[in-house]
Amino acid sequence: MDIDKEELVSRIKNNEPVSILIRQGQCPGDILVLTAAIRDLKNKFPNLILRMRTTAPAIWENNPHVSDHEDSLGAVGSDIDIKLGYPLIHQANQCGKHFIHGFKEELERLLGISFEITALKCDLHLTDQEKGWTNQVRDTFNYSGKFWIINSGSKNDFPLKQWSRVRWQEVVDSLRGKLQFVQVGEEHPNHNHEPLKGAFNLVGKTDMRQLIRLCYHAEGAVCHTTMLNHLMSAWEKPCVVVAGGRESSGWESYNETTYLDTVGNIHCCKSGGCWKAKKEECLWMEGEYPKCMNMITVTDVVRSIDKYYIGGRLTQ
């Protein structure tokens, strides 16, 4: 059943139990960002009973802030049923706010309350048992050393996010003997993940929970603007993002992120990310890739990874 807005606000502010079913049907990266807003909503209003219906239920496993997250339970018993988006994205270039605030502000609008974001990171939870399991890299490759995760792939619906495949290989080659990379990505007809020589290949071999644990055990990650950046934020670990000019750093970057963007350097993204997806939409293609991505060099990426060690954030 749905209660009216006035009664809803009254019950929340009076610390009465209110059951809220929240639906979010976008990609797992979006669901990861949502975890941060849910964490702080529940911290402010512990009387809320939050029931999640999303595309990635594994993200909510062991989460103390939600009551349930399984689709099979339906909406029975909920006081209110909301479909949650983040319309703030349409002002992303101007608002100076993070993706997390997109969900936060929409929850505030729909529920008629306010709360603060307490940490600029996503919210994931592993049990002590999960943390103690042998990591997948050791199980699969009999390798017990440190490693970085790399996602060099792209999706057919967002080709402008893609950096040169040759350059990705050159990054791995440049750090051979210093860093071990583990390649991840989803095997899907619309995804492209060309194997990288010298990297352990786990493409198509990690479910969501395995990927979460892999990030927990990794030293850092390198990728395009993709889910991996949000995953690493949950564990407060380094992530180097090859971003170009599509999205502004303020919307996507976390405190541990090195966000390699070209916003402000080119006319087409001089005032913020262009937010374009298809090659035919790009105003400045250079062969197979947009100029904004070509401007980011292998040296830029390798140096960004090295700086975590030079600065002492990580040790060899």
Side-chain angles (χ1 to χ4, degrees), residues 53-267:
R53 298 294 178 269
T54 66
T55 56
I59 287 172
W60 303 103
E61 287 184 23
N62 307 312
N63 191 313
H65 307 303
V66 304
S67 175
D68 65 66
H69 56 269
E70 296 295 337
D71 288 340
S72 60
L73 295 174
V76 177
S78 296
D79 293 311
I80 186 169
D81 183 338
I82 63 176
K83 185 175 181 180
L84 186 65
Y86 46 94
L88 187 66
I89 192 172
H90 301 299
Q91 289 83 46
N93 288 346
Q94 295 80 34
C95 68
K97 296 179 180 179
H98 194 272
F99 194 170
I100 291 171
H101 291 89
F103 282 121
K104 179 250 191 192
E105 293 190 7
E106 186 66 354
L107 282 166
E108 289 178 324
R109 184 186 72 82
L110 291 170
L111 300 178
I113 46 85
S114 64
F115 63 97
E116 299 300 322
I117 296 299
T118 63
L120 192 69
K121 63 178 183 177
C122 298
D123 187 55
L124 293 172
H125 298 268
L126 293 174
T127 64
D128 290 339
Q129 182 182 29
E130 285 179 301
K131 291 177 182 178
W133 289 340
T134 304
N135 75 70
Q136 194 174 358
V137 174
R138 185 169 183 177
D139 276 345
T140 306
F141 304 102
N142 195 29
Y143 173 82
S144 57
K146 300 175 181 179
F147 61 89
W148 274 61
I149 301 172
I150 186 168
N151 186 337
S152 59
S154 65
K155 297 194 296 182
N156 292 340
D157 54 344
F158 284 101
L160 291 184
K161 288 187 177 185
Q162 178 67 48
W163 196 45
S164 165
R165 295 177 183 85
V166 172
R167 294 186 183 187
W168 282 118
Q169 183 63 61
E170 289 177 355
V171 168
V172 175
D173 293 342
S174 296
L175 291 166
R176 195 183 303 272
K178 294 177 64 177
L179 294 181
Q180 177 61 55
F181 286 101
V182 177
Q183 188 177 3
V184 299
E186 182 183 357
E187 278 192 345
H188 189 280
N190 292 323
H191 291 207
N192 308 291
H193 295 281
E194 186 173 319
L196 296 168
K197 296 178 182 178
F200 293 147
N201 192 341
L202 286 179
V203 172
K205 299 176 182 177
T206 58
D207 61 25
M208 178 58 70
R209 208 67 195 165
Q210 288 172 318
L211 184 58
I212 289 171
R213 294 197 298 270
L214 199 65
C215 291
Y216 173 79
H217 288 290
E219 280 216 301
V222 58
C223 57
H224 299 113
T225 50
T226 189
M227 180 179 69
L228 190 54
N229 176 39
H230 306 300
L231 268 173
M232 297 305 286
S233 80
W235 308 127
E236 298 181 325
K237 293 195 173 185
C239 189
V240 176
V241 178
V242 181
R246 187 178 181 274
E247 301 173 38
S248 299
S249 61
W251 182 258
E252 290 280 353
S253 186
Y254 297 90
N255 293 328
E256 297 80 17
T257 304
T258 299
Y259 198 80
L260 299 176
D261 73 325
T262 54
V263 172
N265 302 142
I266 314 174
H267 285 294

Side-chain angles (χ1 to χ4, degrees), residues 159-160 276-285:
L160 291 184
K276 299 184 187 303
K278 305 292 186 182
K279 292 182 179 181
E280 55 268 25
E281 299 173 325
C282 180
L283 299 178
W284 204 332
M285 290 295 295

Side-chain angles (χ1 to χ4, degrees), residues 291-307:
K291 180 179 178 66
C292 63
M293 297 299 280
N294 285 341
M295 287 173 63
I296 300 168
T297 67
V298 172
T299 300
D300 292 332
V301 176
V302 171
R303 176 66 174 171
S304 295
I305 294 172
D306 278 340
K307 284 167 68 176

